[in-house]
Amino acid sequence: MTTPAPFAVWAPRPRTVRLTVAAGDHEEVVDLVRGPEDWWTVPAGALRLDLAAYPEGVDYGYLLDDDPAPRPDPRSRRQPDGVHGLSRTFDPSAFTWTDAGWTGRQLAGSVIYELHLGTFTPEGTLDAAIGRLDHLVSIGVDLVELLPVNAFNGTHNWGYDGVGWFAVSETYGGPAAYQRFVDACHAAGLGVIQDVVYNHLGPSGNYLPLFAPYLKSGRNTWGDLVNLDGEGSEHVRRYVLDDVAMWFRDFHVDGLRLDAVHALHDSSPTHVLEEMAVETAAWSAHVRRPLTLIAESDLNDPVMFTPREAGGHGLTAQWSDDFHHAVHVALSGETTGYYADFEPLAALQKVLTKGFFHDGTFSSFRGRDHGVPIDLGSTPTWRLVVCSQNHDQIGNRAVGDRLTEHLDDDQLATAALLTLGTGFTPMLFQGEEWAASTPFQFFTSHPEPELGKATADGRIEEFAAMGWDPAVVPDPQDPETFTRSKLDWAEAEGGRHAVVLGVYRELAALRRTLPDLTDPSFGATTCEVDEATRVVRIGRGSVRMVLALGTEPATVEVPEGYGVAWATPGGYDAGSPLVVPPHGAVVLAPGA
């Protein structure tokens, strides 16, 4: 990781750069000197301010050419007055860590829990989230994954509009609170995965182009392309790689989830993802614990998680949207849009036994062949992170409705079984474990009226084109859209919520009891489906699962020496043969 000198900044574009610094009653402006490769630095002895006298940090910014408005540091560690204000210094070494004995969590066999800090607790802060860690432990979570926390304009959003990649949003408590959160997670036996966005910058507060060619011509779905392979890209790549290193070094995180890596346009001889893998592996060796890189990729290409020795990028794993789609369609029957190809139960069968559904097959949604097959003989199943719900798949529905709204308790339990019991790396989304009734809607808080209106109008147009009634689409800018999305923790204490929570705790225990459920071999999984009766029979080593997804019951001949290790809340008829009611499921295991 590159550690620039204090207040040094890479800025090839301006002719002059001045540093403005303020602390207490002291203010001064210092002319910086351009050095090698357009790094501007403070001349020796030019700064009168004694930084050591201000352990809480000093405020500073850069005056570029004749512009009287100071701009924040591209590598700012704090933005206490928002992304348009001055930066503030932060010393990450000032925190006293208590996790010296933490040995980490490998991804294999682990359960991930995805959460959004602003809606996870009523307070919406890192410190408040610490108070809920015991709950996560009780449902078998190993790794907590936070939606992006970098500095953004406004008071609340999903986190993907960030512009201060090195700064933790003050809304959540800032960088010191983040260190406290990770330290508390490690004390509770939980690892931390941070969701990071390197494929674009948010629409408000991005001053990077004033300093240097951080962006290049062209756009992806969300904004201008990050310059990973053009003039000056070696510095931009270092900027990205240093941000990766910061999370591991200064915040002790255990992994990163890399947002939409298919939107990283990089024609360099070595892809930036591979460089991330190389440098992360080096730091992992130094700290002697596993560190994880998980790609969100729309490509269905195993190059993401294929080891570098075999010609891949060497990331640890990737999200599998195909698993989500197959499970969602099998349980809900919804077949609109990109769900259309997943209508037959054969789609569920394929994702369980081959990983990707689209592995070179025709995608009707894309109008072309899509994906690359996984090498089933050499690839462990845990390299695919799977879920039945996540922030995208809920929040990008018109009203942000969860599966809770459409499935009964047995169906929700079946979704949990498929996610937790089929050998992949399972990921739960906040509140899923108790069938939360609160939605997770798309919310923003752009202070600029024109940007807020454009976001709301674009949202309505998007869903109108998909056939939704525009009147039901919540206004992202309405504060109530954010408030409605906050979890109601009191729900978990009774009714169907307590029933479903019990299911997740039972399945967490079952994963620790039956090794076949976490066996990472694709060869350990068999699957038979009956399209007419909608009965699915899954084998996981010696374990058998029978799912009655349709309106008819399923009969099960229990093998000699086997018993029922688990069943959905509606139970089953224990006669001979055993009968699983519609929407129900059972797990059979030797000696149960």
Side-chain angles (χ1 to χ4, degrees):
M1 176 176 179
T2 303
T3 305
F7 303 117
V9 63
W10 177 56
R13 285 183 168 169
R15 299 182 305 278
T16 61
V17 179
R18 292 175 294 157
L19 172 72
T20 176
V21 184
D25 296 329
H26 181 93
E27 293 185 18
E28 65 177 296
V29 176
V30 176
D31 291 330
L32 301 188
V33 176
R34 189 193 296 266
E37 300 188 81
D38 295 309
W39 278 88
W40 297 75
T41 56
V42 178
L47 185 65
R48 301 191 307 276
L49 184 70
D50 180 9
L51 298 179
Y54 300 92
E56 297 302 313
V58 301
D59 294 337
Y60 69 102
Y62 298 97
L63 298 165
L64 308 179
D65 293 329
D66 298 324
D67 187 346
R71 302 304 182 189
D73 186 352
R75 291 172 177 253
S76 172
R77 302 302 298 266
R78 288 194 65 188
Q79 290 297 127
D81 297 316
V83 297
H84 298 291
L86 291 174
S87 301
R88 181 171 295 173
T89 56
F90 170 74
D91 179 7
S93 67
F95 183 74
T96 302
W97 291 91
T98 65
D99 67 349
W102 173 248
T103 57
R105 285 287 178 271
Q106 66 175 18
L107 190 63
S110 290
V111 175
I112 301 173
Y113 187 95
E114 185 189 34
L115 67 86
H116 173 268
L117 279 167
T119 56
F120 183 60
T121 64
E123 301 86 352
T125 64
L126 287 152
D127 287 330
I130 292 174
R132 296 295 181 179
L133 297 183
D134 287 347
H135 166 79
L136 302 186
V137 172
S138 78
I139 60 171
V141 170
D142 300 287
L143 294 161
V144 181
E145 180 174 314
L146 305 182
L147 265 66
V149 299
N150 46 209
F152 58 86
N153 197 25
T155 58
H156 55 265
N157 70 18
W158 280 13
Y160 298 91
D161 283 335
V163 291
W165 287 358
F166 287 77
V168 175
S169 174
E170 300 292 318
T171 297
Y172 303 135
Y178 195 97
Q179 290 177 314
R180 291 193 296 272
F181 176 78
V182 174
D183 203 44
C185 283
H186 289 173
L190 297 166
V192 178
I193 296 174
Q194 181 57 57
D195 191 344
V196 290
V197 183
Y198 298 129
N199 54 54
H200 76 288
L201 290 114
S204 180
N206 174 21
Y207 296 107
L208 296 184
L210 299 179
F211 290 84
Y214 283 93
L215 305 175
K216 66 179 182 180
S217 61
R219 291 179 61 83
N220 57 35
T221 304
W222 305 280
D224 294 332
L225 298 179
V226 175
N227 176 23
L228 298 173
D229 53 7
E231 183 178 357
S233 61
E234 66 275 15
H235 293 283
V236 180
R237 295 168 75 91
R238 190 68 261 159
Y239 180 79
V240 171
L241 294 169
D242 285 352
D243 189 74
V244 168
M246 176 198 73
W247 292 108
F248 292 125
R249 184 192 68 178
D250 295 343
F251 293 115
H252 291 203
V253 302
D254 301 276
L256 298 177
R257 181 261 191 188
L258 308 170
D259 180 66
V261 298
H262 50 272
L264 296 172
H265 290 232
D266 184 9
S267 61
S268 306
T270 301
H271 198 283
V272 69
L273 292 174
E274 184 175 347
E275 288 198 66
M276 290 182 195
V278 170
E279 297 195 5
T280 299
W283 188 251
S284 176
H286 175 66
V287 297
R288 295 181 295 170
R289 60 184 172 89
L291 299 176
T292 295
L293 295 176
I294 301 173
E296 181 202 18
S297 173
D298 185 48
L299 302 178
N300 276 21
D301 190 339
V303 70
M304 294 295 166
F305 51 77
T306 297
R308 294 176 53 245
E309 298 89 333
H313 292 330
L315 304 182
T316 315
Q318 78 156 75
W319 277 24
S320 173
D321 284 344
D322 284 7
F323 179 95
H324 169 272
H325 300 343
V327 171
H328 182 93
V329 173
L331 292 168
S332 73
E334 183 177 357
T335 56
T336 57
Y338 51 68
Y339 290 135
D341 291 343
F342 297 84
E343 183 172 8
L345 280 179
L348 179 62
Q349 179 185 44
K350 186 173 181 180
V351 298
L352 292 179
T353 57
K354 296 188 177 181
F356 293 148
F357 175 69
H358 286 303
D359 55 3
T361 60
F362 183 77
S363 165
S364 63
F365 180 72
R366 298 173 178 82
R368 55 176 170 79
D369 290 346
H370 181 67
V372 177
I374 293 173
D375 184 340
L376 304 179
S378 64
T379 303
T381 52
W382 58 259
R383 289 201 184 276
L384 295 181
V385 176
V386 304
C387 66
S388 65
Q389 303 181 73
N390 64 37
H391 78 276
D392 265 335
Q393 300 300 338
I394 299 172
N396 284 328
R397 297 174 65 81
V399 295
D401 49 318
R402 297 169 177 261
L403 282 178
T404 309
E405 301 298 314
H406 309 284
L407 305 183
D408 61 33
D409 294 356
D410 279 356
Q411 289 174 307
L412 290 174
T414 299
L417 173 62
L418 287 167
T419 303
L420 290 160
T422 51
F424 303 106
T425 297
M427 185 179 75
L428 315 179
F429 180 65
Q430 62 178 42
E432 167 191 334
E433 72 275 17
W434 74 71
S437 65
T438 50
F440 186 74
Q441 298 177 331
F442 181 70
F443 45 81
T444 55
S445 58
H446 298 301
E448 303 90 342
E450 67 283 0
L451 187 53
K453 183 176 186 303
T455 300
D457 290 349
R459 190 78 174 167
I460 290 174
E461 291 172 7
E462 176 185 353
F463 286 107
M466 296 171 62
W468 288 81
D469 179 1
V472 307
V473 180
D475 180 359
Q477 287 285 109
D478 183 349
E480 283 302 307
T481 304
F482 170 61
T483 302
R484 275 193 301 271
S485 299
K486 285 180 174 283
L487 290 178
D488 177 3
W489 283 85
E491 282 187 331
E493 300 173 0
R496 74 177 303 206
H497 307 292
V499 170
V500 175
L501 180 57
V503 164
Y504 277 81
R505 286 179 172 149
E506 291 167 3
L507 288 173
L510 201 65
R511 280 174 59 85
R512 298 294 175 256
T513 305
L514 301 177
D516 284 335
L517 296 186
T518 50
D519 186 332
S521 169
F522 273 102
T525 301
T526 61
C527 183
E528 299 175 358
V529 301
D530 187 320
E531 301 283 0
T533 63
R534 297 192 63 75
V535 172
V536 178
R537 301 176 190 272
I538 301 168
R540 288 286 301 152
S542 64
V543 175
R544 302 288 180 264
M545 306 176 191
V546 181
L547 289 56
L549 302 184
T551 58
E552 299 295 325
T555 58
V556 184
E557 295 290 346
V558 180
E560 184 177 353
Y562 276 65
V564 176
W566 180 86
T568 46
Y572 57 93
D573 183 343
S576 181
L578 182 149
V579 179
V580 182
H583 296 179
V586 296
V587 175
L588 307 176

